[in-house]
Amino acid sequence: MTGALQAYIRIVDRINRRIGRVMMYGIFVMMAILLWSSMSKTFFTPSLWTLETAQFAMVAYYILGGPYSIQMGSNVRMDLFYGNWSDRKKAWVDAFTVLFLIFFLAVLLWGGLSSTSYSLGDFQGEPFSFFGNLAATFVTGGPSAAAEEIGFLERSATAWRPYLWPIKIIMVIGIFLMLLQAISELFKDVLRIKGHDI
C-alpha cells in the first residue's frame, strides 16, 4: 500500500512540476500580448483580440500553474497556531482540511465539464454521456464523424467573438491536475502520519 501511494505521489508530482515550470513563463506571454495591445492602441489601429487573449493567457497561467503551487506549498495559509505544531499534528490537520479542497475541486470539475460540453453544443446537461458519445464516434467514425456530433459552438459576446471551448478545455485539464495534486497531498499527509519521510 505504501509503495502504491509513493508511486502515485512521484508520478503526479513529476507531471505537475514539469507543467508548472513551463507555465511560469506564461506571464511573459501575457506581458507580450498586453505590450502589443498598448503599442497598437498608440501607434496603429487598436486590435480587438488583445485584451481577451490576455485574459485567456492569464487563465491558462493560473489554472495550469495551480497544481505546482499546491505542490510547492506556496498557497496562502493562515499560520496563527500551525507554525508551532509538530510535523505529525500538521499532517493530521492537513489531511483533514485537504478533504474540503478535494470536494471543492470535484464540484468545480463537474461544473467545468458541464460548461465545456455546453460550449461544444451539448444543451442536454449530461457532460459524461456527451463526451462518451463523442469519444465513441471518434473511435468508430473518425474525426469527421465526431465533428458532426458537435453542435452549435459557443462564442464570446465581445466584438472579436472567439470560440470558448479551447480555454474551457484548458480549465478542465487544470482543475483535473489540481485534483490529482490535492489527492497527492492527502497521500503525503497519510504517509507522514504513519511516520514515513516524504
Side-chain angles (χ1 to χ4, degrees):
M1 179 74 170
T2 301
L5 296 181
Q6 289 175 338
Y8 176 87
I9 292 167
R10 217 174 19 256
I11 291 167
V12 169
D13 283 4
R14 186 178 304 133
I15 290 168
N16 285 330
R17 185 179 301 112
R18 288 183 179 164
I19 292 172
R21 299 293 288 180
V22 170
M23 289 313 299
M24 284 180 10
Y25 299 103
I27 195 78
F28 297 113
V29 172
M30 190 177 59
M31 288 170 55
I33 294 167
L34 291 174
L35 179 64
W36 173 254
S37 176
S38 298
M39 287 173 36
S40 70
K41 286 177 185 171
T42 304
F43 302 112
F44 312 111
T45 304
S47 302
L48 293 176
W49 58 269
T50 53
L51 184 60
E52 205 156 12
T53 303
Q55 291 171 345
F56 291 164
M58 183 63 183
V59 167
Y61 169 75
Y62 177 78
I63 206 91
L64 293 174
Y68 183 60
S69 177
I70 292 171
Q71 183 184 127
M72 300 305 293
S74 58
N75 48 325
V76 177
R77 178 174 290 175
M78 188 95 166
D79 194 11
L80 292 173
F81 306 107
Y82 187 86
N84 296 325
W85 290 343
S86 68
D87 290 340
R88 188 174 174 88
K89 187 171 184 179
K90 287 179 185 177
W92 273 106
V93 171
D94 289 345
F96 175 71
T97 57
V98 79
L99 294 175
F100 294 103
L101 176 62
I102 290 170
F103 174 75
F104 171 74
L105 289 171
V107 171
L108 199 62
L109 182 62
W110 172 260
L113 286 169
S114 296
S115 182
T116 303
S117 68
Y118 180 85
S119 72
L120 291 171
D122 172 40
F123 305 119
Q124 304 298 321
E126 296 291 332
F128 288 114
S129 64
F130 172 74
F131 287 119
N133 292 339
L134 191 62
T137 305
F138 181 81
V139 169
T140 58
S144 59
E148 291 176 13
E149 289 286 319
I150 295 175
F152 177 77
L153 297 176
E154 181 185 17
R155 297 179 84 132
S156 173
T158 62
W160 181 40
R161 296 189 41 80
Y163 290 111
L164 294 179
W165 64 266
I167 194 62
K168 288 187 177 186
I169 288 175
I170 289 171
M171 288 172 59
V172 166
I173 291 168
I175 293 166
F176 180 70
L177 290 173
M178 234 181 284
L179 181 61
L180 293 180
Q181 188 63 47
I183 293 169
S184 173
E185 297 303 312
L186 174 64
F187 290 165
K188 289 176 190 175
D189 292 330
V190 167
L191 291 174
R192 284 186 190 108
I193 290 168
K194 290 184 174 183
H196 296 283
D197 288 329
I198 302 298

